[in-house]
Amino acid sequence: MQTISSYQCPITFDFDPTNITHLPASVVPTWISVIAINVVTSPLTVLINLLVIWTVVENEQLRSNSYYLLVAILSLSDLLVGIVIQPLFVALAICIIDQCTYVCKLNTVYAMSASLCYGWTAVTMMIVSLERYFFIEHPLYYQASVTPKKLMIASAATWALVGIPKPFIRLLVNESFYARQIPGILTFGTSFVIILFCVSKVHLAARRQMRAIVAQQQSVAQQSKIKEYKRTFTLGLIVLASVACLCPLLVLKIIGTVKGNLKDDLRYISQAIYFTTLNLQSIIDPIIYSLRLSDIRTGVAKRLRCNRHI
């Protein structure tokens, strides 16, 4: 059994991509399946996220709304997954199967790019959760202090914090299995603790306030509040989808940590499985927006009709 330190590539996963021999029978069919899934979903991910971003950016009212602005930023990170990460994943998987000469370089580029895009998605979801938390729990502070400009600055700052040190940390700590988990724990762990705290708090408060509004005669202002609460519930659905997509990663990481090493078949296919489920999150998010948010749904449908006429 090779150790990480004996691998040739500067960044590796749980096996050496330059030395694939005697693969278990289940590995290649599994890789071919996840390649097909990524080939099919990549253009769809690009299309629907482009439509969401286009809908928000073109509409001044949506663009000036803090929540919808963050939806567009989150769609941007999902768009990068469809444009960059999924094609790289497909190329890398094919290259590993064929043992092409540039597999090591492709592996490093993919690992660095995936680390960035997944990190950007996590911190953007954290900012969306904080925006909903302040809107529901601290409305006076929200009205006085939370603006689209400040949220754009916060998003740019967190993207920079993820983008500058994270790939280099991943490169430096590659030789230890446990040390390799540090960048992911710092980014995803911190983000999801904040996300789960905010979402659980605002979900309960929003549901309680929404029931109180429905029981009364609804005014125009109350109708507006109901829309805001529906946006909060949409965030809850996205978080649930994220947890579902992260489950394969968490389960396999726990098994690997407890047992020390995965069995050969799991060791080879686990990376392909959980990277594919993470990629699918980028198409699930905009679908949820389009189904749950009437403004996004109307804008996406309008642009799809225009494209069909063209």
Side-chain angles (χ1 to χ4, degrees), residues 79-260:
L79 175 67
L80 291 174
V81 171
I83 289 179
V84 178
I85 304 305
Q86 289 185 284
L88 281 175
F89 175 85
V90 170
L92 176 60
I94 294 172
C95 194
I96 291 174
I97 293 172
D98 291 340
Q99 281 294 278
C100 59
T101 56
Y102 52 88
V103 62
C104 193
K105 292 181 180 178
L106 190 56
N107 183 80
T108 302
V109 171
Y110 172 75
M112 300 277 271
S113 302
S115 178
L116 285 176
C117 285
Y118 297 148
W120 286 338
T121 298
V123 295
T124 305
M125 284 184 62
M126 178 186 68
I127 294 174
V128 178
S129 302
L130 288 169
E131 188 268 347
R132 289 290 86 190
Y133 173 78
F134 286 119
F135 177 84
I136 299 295
E137 296 289 338
H138 304 282
L140 295 179
Y141 173 81
Y142 182 90
Q143 294 175 10
S145 302
V146 178
T147 64
K149 182 178 180 180
K150 289 181 179 179
L151 289 174
M152 286 189 67
I153 293 172
S155 299
T158 52
W159 279 41
L161 286 173
V162 171
I164 295 173
K166 194 169 188 288
F168 299 103
I169 294 173
R170 177 65 176 81
L171 180 63
L172 292 173
V173 301
N174 187 59
E175 293 191 6
S176 166
F177 173 82
Y178 295 101
R180 284 187 295 138
Q181 312 311 310
I182 292 174
I185 290 172
L186 290 175
T187 301
F188 293 100
T190 303
S191 297
F192 275 97
V193 166
I194 295 173
I195 289 169
L196 292 176
F197 170 79
C198 292
V199 169
S200 60
K201 290 279 288 184
V202 303
H203 185 81
L204 293 174
R207 186 168 293 278
R208 184 173 61 251
Q209 294 176 25
M210 190 171 178
R211 278 200 293 261
I213 290 174
V214 171
Q216 302 170 359
Q217 186 176 1
Q218 296 179 20
S219 64
V220 175
Q222 288 172 328
Q223 289 285 354
S224 178
K225 282 187 177 181
I226 289 177
K227 286 187 177 181
E228 292 289 350
Y229 297 150
K230 288 182 178 179
R231 294 170 190 171
T232 301
F233 300 146
T234 299
L235 173 61
L237 289 176
I238 292 172
V239 171
L240 286 176
S242 299
V243 171
C245 290
L246 280 171
C247 277
L249 170 61
L250 295 175
V251 170
L252 292 168
K253 286 292 185 182
I254 290 171
I255 293 173
T257 302
V258 172
K259 291 189 174 182

Side-chain angles (χ1 to χ4, degrees), residues 32-54:
I32 292 174
S33 298
V34 296
I35 286 171
I37 291 171
N38 281 275
V39 167
V40 171
T41 58
S42 176
L44 296 175
T45 300
V46 172
L47 173 62
I48 192 167
N49 280 292
L50 273 175
L51 290 173
V52 171
I53 295 170
W54 184 8

Side-chain angles (χ1 to χ4, degrees), residues 47-63:
L47 173 62
I48 192 167
N49 280 292
L50 273 175
L51 290 173
V52 171
I53 295 170
W54 184 8
T55 297
V56 175
V57 171
E58 191 181 54
N59 189 312
E60 185 178 355
Q61 184 177 359
L62 297 183
R63 194 171 62 245

